């Protein structure tokens, strides 16, 4: 099916143009985007219908938040919940689309006179320089590290997009001197096709692996949406791309035999200045940033541009090789924004990570043997490769909690890591699995390789109680090693989505943290 192309520009020519317009917000949701749109359009004098297939009770937190805002005119707001009505789309001057809703085959969107998103509205009106990040893995960590680094370097800056903060919440505070960091999903990018509103000063594409294949059906249309991040850049802008070999040759529908990775493919199409990132030293003719092992065993980051090499990343506070790559890209963005090298080292070195991405949040000392157990929440790991990477992020074996709902992905990469293949350095001490269609694809692979695991469990609460029982049991030393060996990491990295058992990955992570603190108090 052909991708939908939107009209160039934005239906609103000025903010004053919004006054008295009839706006339908499709998808009120629980992650802030729908709520921000409702408040934004009410603030600018529109009449707003907020419609969602979820019920009032399911959306209670969002509704209560809107109700408590006394700065907006609630008389201009109407909710239509538990259903969509065709007349709300046919009569609206503009429909504000949720990125998680496909345009193709959607009768409500096809009936709309005009369609915008919070991202398109923001890009149309802001004058701020934009640093945009997309990819399959590491987007949220990368934008968070960039944002932190800019703040530490003295910039007034803002962070929004797919990281659950709508940029409409800070549009009025932006200007030509306030860089805005946007995390953009493939769906958010798809909603910008044809509009010519996204022209980032810097675009970054993080690691590409199969994702959302239940939506796209193949890698090529997924990657076509990713390419929109640099579609309207020119030679005055920068595109930052991977330089290390990946599975491009087997994943692309019609691969170029000269390309070793998706980064090569993107580099051949962008009009911007190309910079590459790598875990090994870049060729002398390639500009970008790379990692280098120092004599003391630490890994540093070096920028290489126009024959000049400078160290811009030193020791970090976040674990994992993949997280180091995210910070590496953040450091390069700071360099392109004019931050001095020595200041970049300090800025990115002080970043402590973000919620739901290898988030260290709780410690517990076992009363039986005084073993120190440290819990990490990596609920944002929604692809198998991310869970595999998380299991290898601690320079030691971990207790891994994984599993969930499938989105038409291949679980072989995670299985191979848990089997000790694919360069695995540390086999998990124990594996606990949550039930789900993704787990149903993983367990036969583990069974065939005779890899032991606990579960699958239909309840996170039950899973944690059994884990605690094992930690306190007579076989603890056999399972986990000596208590004198140091901290034991317990890592919740599902490698799958959360539908059915949780509202979303953030709800899943919050519930995990709450249950851990209750169980291991």
């Amino acid at each position: 099916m052909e991708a939908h192309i939107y009209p160039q520009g934005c239906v609103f020519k000025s903010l004053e143009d919004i006054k008295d317009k009839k706006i339908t917000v499709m998808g009120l949701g629980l992650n802030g985007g729908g709520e921000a749109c409702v408040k934004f359009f009410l603030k600018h004098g529109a009449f707003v219908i907020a419609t969602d297939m979820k019920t009032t009770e399911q959306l209670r937190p969002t509704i209560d938040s809107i109700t408590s805002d006394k700065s907006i005119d609630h008389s201009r707001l109407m909710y239509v919940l538990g259903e969509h009505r065709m007349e709300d789309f046919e009569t609206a001057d503009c429909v504000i689309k949720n990125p998680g809703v496909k345009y193709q085959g959607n009768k409500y969107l096809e009936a709309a006179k005009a369609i915008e998103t919070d991202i398109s509205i923001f890009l149309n009106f802001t004058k701020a320089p934009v640093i945009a990040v997309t990819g399959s893995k590491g987007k949220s960590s990368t934008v968070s590290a960039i944002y932190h680094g800019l703040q530490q370097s003295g910039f007034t800056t803002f962070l929004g997009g797919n990281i659950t903060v709508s940029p409409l919440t800070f549009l009025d505070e932006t200007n030509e001197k306030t860089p805005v960091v946007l995390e953009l999903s493939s769906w958010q990018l798809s909603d910008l096709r044809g509009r010519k509103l996204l022209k980032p000063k810097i675009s970054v594409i993080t690691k590409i692996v199969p994702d959302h294949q239940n939506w796209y059906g193949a890698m090529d249309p997924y990657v076509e949406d990713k390419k929109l991040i640099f579609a309207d850049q020119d030679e005055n802008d920068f595109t930052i791309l991977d330089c290390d070999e990946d599975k491009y040759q087997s994943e692309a529908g019609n691969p170029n035999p000269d390309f070793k990775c998706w980064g090569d493919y993107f580099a051949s199409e962008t009009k911007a200045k190309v910079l590459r990132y790598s875990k090994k030293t870049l060729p002398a003719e390639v500009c970008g940033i790379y990692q280098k092992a120092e004599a003391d065993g630490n890994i540093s980051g070096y920028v290489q541009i126009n024959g000049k090499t400078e160290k811009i990343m030193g020791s970090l506070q976040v674990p994992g090789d993949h997280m180091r790559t995210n910070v590496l890209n953040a450091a390069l963005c700071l360099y392109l924004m004019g931050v001095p090298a020595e200041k970049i080292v300090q800025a990115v070195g002080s970043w402590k990570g973000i919620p739901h991405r290898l988030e260290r949040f709780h410690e517990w000392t076992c009363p039986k043997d005084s073993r120190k157990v440290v819990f990490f929440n990596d609920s944002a790991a929604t692809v198998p490769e991310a869970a595999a990477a998380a299991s290898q992020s601690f320079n030691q074996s971990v207790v891994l909690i994984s599993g969930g709902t499938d989105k038409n992905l291949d679980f072989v990469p995670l299985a191979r890591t848990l089997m000790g293949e694919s360069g695995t350095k540390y086999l998990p001490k124990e594996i606990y699995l949550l039930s789900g269609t993704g787990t149903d694809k993983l367990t036969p692979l583990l069974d065939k390789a005779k890899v032991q695991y606990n579960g699958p469990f239909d309840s996170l609460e039950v899973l944690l109680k059994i884990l605690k029982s094992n930690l306190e049991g007579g076989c603890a030393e056999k399972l986990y090693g000596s208590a004198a060996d140091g901290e034991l990491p317990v890592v919740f990295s599902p490698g799958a989505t959360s539908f059915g058992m949780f509202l979303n990955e953030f709800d899943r992570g919050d519930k995990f943290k709450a249950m851990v603190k209750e169980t291991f108090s």
Side-chain angles (χ1 to χ4, degrees):
M1 188 178 292
E2 289 291 322
H4 183 67
I5 300 175
Y6 293 91
Q8 185 171 334
C10 175
V11 69
F12 302 110
K13 305 309 176 188
S14 68
L15 290 172
E16 293 72 24
D17 193 28
I18 294 173
K19 184 173 173 57
D20 293 332
K21 293 292 193 298
K22 292 186 289 184
I23 305 296
T24 294
V25 175
M26 184 186 196
L28 186 58
L30 295 164
N31 288 330
E35 177 183 344
C37 290
V38 168
K39 291 181 178 180
F40 175 83
F41 282 99
L42 288 176
K43 175 183 175 182
H44 289 282
F47 295 95
V48 177
I49 293 176
T51 180
D52 198 301
M53 296 302 289
K54 291 186 175 68
T55 65
T56 301
E57 283 311 306
Q58 288 174 309
L59 295 167
R60 177 57 59 195
T62 300
I63 294 171
D64 287 349
S65 178
I66 293 173
T67 302
S68 66
D69 190 338
K70 306 304 181 185
S71 68
I72 54 180
D73 183 353
H74 293 272
S75 70
R76 289 177 171 241
L77 171 62
M78 181 173 76
Y79 293 106
V80 178
L81 304 177
E83 63 172 334
H84 290 320
R85 304 183 310 188
M86 184 60 73
E87 61 264 32
D88 296 332
F89 294 82
E90 291 174 331
T91 61
D93 293 303
C94 182
V95 172
I96 307 302
K97 176 185 174 298
N98 184 303
V101 179
K102 270 189 178 181
Y103 177 90
Q104 291 86 347
N106 189 295
K107 62 182 181 181
Y108 300 106
L109 291 174
E110 290 174 353
K113 299 173 187 174
I115 298 171
E116 298 289 345
T117 67
D118 65 334
I119 303 294
S120 69
I121 297 291
F122 174 81
L123 292 173
N124 183 63
F125 289 115
T126 189
K127 293 181 173 63
V130 171
I131 301 172
V133 179
T134 193
S136 307
K137 295 167 59 179
K139 297 188 297 294
S140 296
S141 297
T142 302
V143 296
S144 176
I146 296 169
Y147 174 67
H148 172 84
L150 288 170
Q151 285 186 313
Q152 294 296 304
S153 303
F155 286 91
T156 298
T157 182
F158 300 92
L159 171 63
N162 194 53
I163 201 164
T164 74
V165 177
S166 172
L168 292 182
T169 60
F170 52 73
L171 171 62
D172 293 345
E173 300 174 70
T174 66
N175 58 48
E176 296 90 339
K177 296 181 180 180
T178 59
V180 170
V181 187
L182 292 179
E183 177 189 338
L184 298 174
S185 69
S186 54
W187 302 341
Q188 288 170 318
L189 288 167
S190 180
D191 287 337
L192 296 173
R193 180 175 276 106
R195 299 186 193 271
K196 294 191 176 298
L197 294 173
L198 177 63
K199 189 181 181 297
K201 176 182 177 68
I202 304 169
S203 68
V204 183
I205 302 183
T206 66
K207 197 74 176 174
I208 293 290
V209 299
D211 197 5
H212 301 302
Q213 293 304 285
N214 55 336
W215 177 291
Y216 287 100
M219 278 294 283
D220 285 357
Y222 171 63
V223 170
E224 285 300 305
D225 280 354
K226 294 297 186 188
K227 287 164 50 179
L228 293 171
I229 198 167
F230 59 70
D232 293 310
Q233 286 188 296
D234 60 31
E235 65 277 2
N236 297 311
D237 305 315
F238 299 95
T239 303
I240 300 174
L241 303 167
D242 197 359
C243 194
D244 295 336
E245 187 172 353
D246 57 24
K247 296 182 179 179
Y248 162 80
Q249 286 292 333
S250 61
E251 291 171 349
N254 185 28
N256 185 315
D258 296 329
F259 296 164
K260 68 180 184 301
C261 62
W262 285 106
D264 290 345
Y265 171 64
F266 296 135
S268 72
E269 299 213 354
T270 182
K271 299 181 183 68
K273 297 171 186 173
V274 174
L275 298 170
R276 310 298 292 269
Y277 59 90
S278 177
K279 292 181 178 178
K280 53 191 176 183
T281 304
L282 290 169
E285 71 277 7
V286 176
C287 293
I289 191 166
Y290 62 87
Q291 298 178 30
K292 178 183 175 183
E294 306 287 13
D296 59 5
N298 289 322
I299 298 177
S300 300
Y302 288 85
V303 65
Q304 175 177 289
I305 294 181
N306 300 328
K308 182 181 179 182
T309 301
E310 288 187 89
K311 179 179 175 179
I312 62 172
M313 187 184 81
S315 59
L316 305 177
Q317 296 193 35
V318 289
D321 291 342
H322 61 300
M323 200 65 82
R324 189 179 293 110
T325 298
N326 300 335
V327 180
L328 195 76
N329 282 329
L332 181 53
C333 289
L334 296 180
Y335 187 86
L336 296 175
M337 293 296 291
V339 181
E342 61 277 6
K343 199 163 190 176
I344 298 174
V345 174
Q346 296 172 358
V348 299
S350 64
W351 181 63
K352 296 181 179 179
I354 56 175
H356 309 299
R357 277 88 178 173
L358 285 178
E359 172 193 11
R360 179 172 177 150
F361 69 94
H362 188 66
E363 297 178 4
W364 175 74
T365 300
C366 179
K368 298 295 184 182
D369 58 8
S370 299
R371 182 189 308 276
K372 186 176 181 182
V373 183
V374 183
F375 292 87
F376 290 83
N377 167 34
D378 194 39
S379 182
T382 60
V383 298
E385 290 87 349
S391 75
Q392 303 299 301
S393 294
F394 294 85
N395 294 322
Q396 68 177 100
S397 295
V398 305
V399 174
L400 179 67
I401 303 173
S402 197
T405 308
D406 180 34
K407 45 181 177 176
N408 195 25
L409 299 180
D410 183 4
F411 279 78
V412 169
L414 176 56
R416 283 179 175 165
T417 297
L418 301 182
M419 295 172 192
E421 301 176 5
S422 302
T424 301
K425 293 182 180 178
Y426 307 101
L427 286 172
K429 291 182 182 293
E430 266 196 312
I431 300 169
Y432 290 79
L433 297 177
L434 282 173
S435 300
T437 52
T439 307
D440 293 342
K441 292 172 73 171
L442 176 62
T443 51
L445 301 172
L446 300 182
D447 290 338
K448 185 177 180 180
K450 295 183 170 50
V451 174
Q452 294 186 338
Y453 54 87
N454 297 280
F457 297 95
D458 293 330
S459 162
L460 188 54
E461 184 179 10
V462 172
L463 183 157
L464 290 172
K465 286 181 178 177
I466 290 176
L467 170 60
K468 185 178 183 183
S469 176
N470 288 342
L471 285 164
E472 293 179 333
C475 295
E477 186 162 345
K478 181 180 178 181
L479 287 171
Y480 310 111
S482 170
D485 290 342
E487 295 181 349
L488 173 65
V490 175
V491 183
F492 180 45
S493 188
T497 56
S498 54
F499 305 120
M501 203 176 292
F502 307 97
L503 295 174
N504 50 48
E505 65 266 37
F506 309 112
D507 175 63
R508 175 172 64 186
D510 288 338
K511 282 187 167 59
F512 173 71
K513 291 192 290 184
M515 288 183 192
V516 164
K517 290 174 182 178
E518 181 179 345
T519 305
F520 294 87
S521 57

